[in-house]
């Protein structure tokens, strides 16, 4: 029997709580940095750091930490969408043939998809590194219960 989960159950799931919070914080940092800079470059270090923290927090549940990192990266990709909206605004402000505008829109959509995928991979890479680091650190922790 197929079991469908409601949106409320999905969003209150433990594997979504962290990605939503960390992804929005990382997207806010990235978006603010993009807004303040004059270079027009998105710096995605915050996505990697958010994924790294997710990997440390979800240590011991390897598939879960990957999923958390992936979801964190996808939520963190909001500035990529913001940047693509800027590109769409520019495209439609030009006076040019319609076919050229269509080509430009397709290219912006492809680059936006690439940016979201890159952000997701950064989050998942950070989570994998965080999982590995937590495993290395875990061996050095003293036991809380005496033997």
């Amino acid at each position: 029997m197929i079991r469908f989960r409601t949106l409320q159950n999905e969003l209150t799931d433990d594997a979504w709580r962290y990605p939503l919070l960390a992804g929005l914080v990382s997207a806010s940092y990235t978006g603010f940095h993009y807004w303040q800079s004059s270079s027009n470059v998105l710096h995605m270090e915050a996505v990697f750091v958010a994924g790294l923290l997710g990997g440390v927090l979800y240590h011991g549940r390897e598939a879960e930490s990957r999923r958390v990192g992936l979801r964190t990266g996808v939520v963190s990709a909001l500035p990529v969408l913001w940047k693509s909206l800027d590109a769409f605004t520019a495209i439609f402000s030009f006076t040019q043939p319609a076919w050229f505008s269509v080509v430009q829109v397709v290219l912006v959509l492809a680059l936006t998809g690439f940016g979201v995928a890159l952000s997701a991979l950064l989050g998942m890479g950070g989570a994998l590194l965080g999982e590995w680091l937590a495993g290395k650190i875990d061996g050095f922790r003293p036991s809380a219960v005496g033997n």
Side-chain angles (χ1 to χ4, degrees), residues 35-123:
W35 180 56
Q36 290 293 319
S37 74
S38 60
S39 66
N40 255 352
V41 175
L42 285 176
H43 295 278
M44 304 295 279
E45 299 93 359
V47 178
F48 185 78
V49 171
L52 184 79
L53 277 166
V56 169
L57 290 175
Y58 285 84
H59 171 64
R61 301 176 277 184
E62 187 173 329
E64 198 68 26
S65 69
R66 285 186 195 148
R67 190 174 317 138
V68 165
L70 181 73
R71 290 175 179 177
T72 302
V74 169
V75 173
S76 297
L78 288 174
V80 174
L81 300 176
W82 179 21
K83 197 165 172 79
S84 67
L85 288 176
D86 288 347
F88 286 131
T89 305
I91 289 170
F92 293 120
S93 69
F94 298 144
T95 53
Q96 58 189 4
W99 69 269
F100 200 69
S101 294
V102 170
V103 169
Q104 289 174 334
V105 166
V106 169
L107 287 174
V108 168
L109 286 175
L111 288 174
T112 301
F114 177 74
V116 170
L118 183 63
S119 179
L121 286 175
L122 277 171

